[in-house]
Amino acid sequence: MHRRTDERSELKAVIRKRSGSAALARRARCVLLWADGARRVDIRNKLGCNDGFLTRWTKAFELGGLAGLVSLHPGRAPARPVAQIEARVLNKTLKHKPKDGSTHWSSRKLAAELGDFSFSAVQRIWRKHGLQPHRLERHLVSNAPDFETKAADVIGLYLNPPAHAPVFCVDEKIAIQALDRKDRMRPLAPGRAESHSSEYKRNGTLSLFVALNAATGQELGMTARRPTSEQFVSFLGDVLASQPEGREVHVICDNVSSNETELVQAFLVQHSNVRIHYTLTYSSWLNQVENWFSRIQRDVISRGTFTSVKDLDKKLMRYIRQYNKNPKPLKWKYDNPQRRHHQFF
């Protein structure tokens, strides 16, 4: 085999490349040895290959050059299922349940039920049409009357807030447990995750009131032993005190009983510049502070160890102070709720 100098240089470059494919380098070495007139037995001994390997890649190089060493591969791409087979799989997946009483199909179970093609074909059809029978999502439908109108009132405060009136998302995270681990914690180390003892000691509970400024992302926080109506009114007073006197303030909160007592109504009568907007049943997603609660749960509470309620209070408030040094507001945008639905049949 006699090749031009540039092709030989390309083959040597592939062999020298440190971050390249080892399989490709082995093929290039085989071609070079063959071109240099090495005997088959010597090539087999040096590369640990057989005659089939030698013949396959030397011919591939003769036909396609260096590209032939990459593109030649055994097997073929899977054939696309015909429309009738797709219809059978989709009909069985969407309209029927397995005969063994299972709640959902697996690809192997459906292939065995249909009997005339493989589970990989089922997987390809499911992937093409976005079907995932193993997944289960949960939802709650609000039973509040005039849902759209009331939800639009809250969403409108996010998308088009009043020019000179702050919007606060207020809620309480109740019964946060001050848990202390009974055994010594194993710290993070190379090759080992941080480890806590599964046994713990309860040191009491604490509730956290938080007001999120929807425009700036800043937080106001207050802890309390119990989330009573008196504590809620006291916290509203703190929120009001953070603003210039007489400024209109909008408060978004849920409609639990402690937020709609006579004490709260008396506070609203006394402070006519405060307007409360209640979220609807099963619609906690309307309150942006719920997103922030998930952050403090993940960052502080879930893996935290607290020697006392006072220690829990200190760590929660420290997190809020640090967060307020670089607050980031949530940005709401309109998203078309309509989804595409494939017409299978």
Side-chain angles (χ1 to χ4, degrees):
M1 181 185 298
H2 299 287
R3 287 291 177 182
R4 295 192 301 272
T5 304
D6 55 346
E7 290 181 328
R8 180 177 290 273
S9 299
E10 290 177 352
L11 291 171
K12 290 182 176 179
V14 169
I15 296 173
R16 291 194 302 267
K17 192 173 183 181
R18 293 185 177 182
S19 59
S21 168
L24 180 59
R26 185 166 176 252
R27 297 165 193 168
R29 189 175 293 110
C30 174
V31 172
L32 278 176
L33 290 172
W34 182 253
D36 292 338
R39 296 183 305 166
R40 282 180 174 266
V41 63
D42 295 331
I43 297 175
R44 290 200 305 266
N45 292 335
K46 288 183 178 181
L47 300 182
C49 63
N50 56 25
D51 286 338
F53 179 89
L54 195 155
T55 302
R56 181 186 308 122
W57 296 114
T58 52
K59 287 186 176 180
F61 186 76
E62 288 178 355
L63 295 174
L66 185 61
L69 300 183
V70 179
S71 61
L72 184 62
H73 59 85
R76 60 183 177 84
R80 293 176 60 88
V82 296
Q84 293 82 357
I85 294 179
E86 287 191 4
R88 287 183 60 205
V89 171
L90 296 174
N91 179 68
K92 203 73 173 180
T93 305
L94 298 175
K95 297 184 178 181
H96 301 274
K97 295 291 184 181
K99 294 181 179 179
D100 62 359
S102 301
T103 58
H104 60 280
W105 291 104
S106 69
S107 58
R108 296 178 185 273
K109 190 174 294 185
L110 183 55
E113 174 75 16
L114 295 175
D116 54 355
F117 52 95
S118 67
F119 73 93
S120 59
V122 174
Q123 291 175 341
R124 287 194 295 272
I125 295 171
W126 284 353
R127 192 180 305 116
K128 176 182 176 181
H129 295 279
L131 292 176
Q132 297 176 314
H134 66 285
R135 294 190 59 185
L136 175 66
E137 296 181 353
R138 302 182 185 276
H139 68 276
L140 284 173
V141 179
S142 177
N143 55 7
D146 300 326
F147 175 82
E148 285 101 0
T149 302
K150 295 178 180 179
D153 174 53
V154 176
I155 297 174
L157 291 174
Y158 298 143
L159 299 180
N160 188 25
H164 303 290
V167 177
F168 286 94
C169 304
V170 177
D171 202 357
E172 63 274 359
K173 189 172 181 62
I174 64 173
I176 304 172
Q177 296 193 70
L179 299 180
D180 193 10
R181 309 295 168 176
K182 288 188 176 181
D183 297 326
R184 180 175 61 87
M185 181 190 73
R186 297 177 61 189
L188 177 68
R192 186 187 70 194
E194 180 180 307
S195 176
H196 285 186
S197 168
S198 58
E199 294 188 347
Y200 53 83
K201 176 185 177 184
R202 290 189 176 95
N203 293 316
T205 61
L206 197 65
S207 294
L208 174 66
F209 289 89
V210 172
L212 167 67
N213 190 320
T216 65
Q218 289 185 319
E219 304 279 349
L220 293 174
M222 184 187 79
T223 57
R225 288 300 183 99
R226 294 178 60 244
T228 62
S229 181
E230 291 81 1
Q231 296 289 353
F232 180 69
V233 169
S234 175
F235 185 59
L236 287 180
D238 293 343
V239 173
L240 197 59
S242 69
Q243 300 299 312
E245 186 175 356
R247 172 177 287 183
E248 183 176 301
V249 175
H250 293 265
V251 175
I252 299 173
C253 64
D254 56 20
N255 56 358
V256 298
S257 58
S258 61
N259 295 349
E260 296 183 322
T261 62
E262 294 181 359
L263 194 61
V264 175
Q265 298 305 318
F267 176 86
L268 296 177
V269 171
Q270 185 178 358
H271 301 87
S272 57
N273 58 321
V274 178
R275 299 184 180 181
I276 291 186
H277 305 259
Y278 293 106
T279 59
L280 306 171
T281 308
Y282 306 138
S283 302
S284 60
W285 56 272
L286 286 172
N287 199 337
Q288 289 188 359
V289 75
E290 295 290 348
N291 180 283
W292 190 85
F293 277 150
S294 68
R295 298 184 187 183
I296 197 170
Q297 177 70 32
R298 179 179 62 248
D299 293 346
V300 181
I301 300 172
S302 294
R303 292 170 52 173
T305 56
F306 311 102
T307 57
S308 63
V309 170
K310 185 176 180 180
D311 182 42
L312 173 61
D313 180 294
K314 181 179 69 174
K315 291 177 178 177
L316 292 175
M317 299 308 295
R318 180 179 63 186
Y319 183 83
I320 292 176
R321 289 193 300 271
Q322 292 296 322
Y323 180 84
N324 283 335
K325 292 181 180 180
N326 185 28
K328 295 180 181 179
L330 295 173
K331 295 182 180 180
W332 278 49
K333 64 180 181 179
Y334 174 76
D335 186 18
N336 189 348
Q338 294 183 353
R339 304 293 183 184
R340 293 182 179 179
H341 296 282
H342 298 284
Q343 298 297 325
F344 301 132
F345 312 109

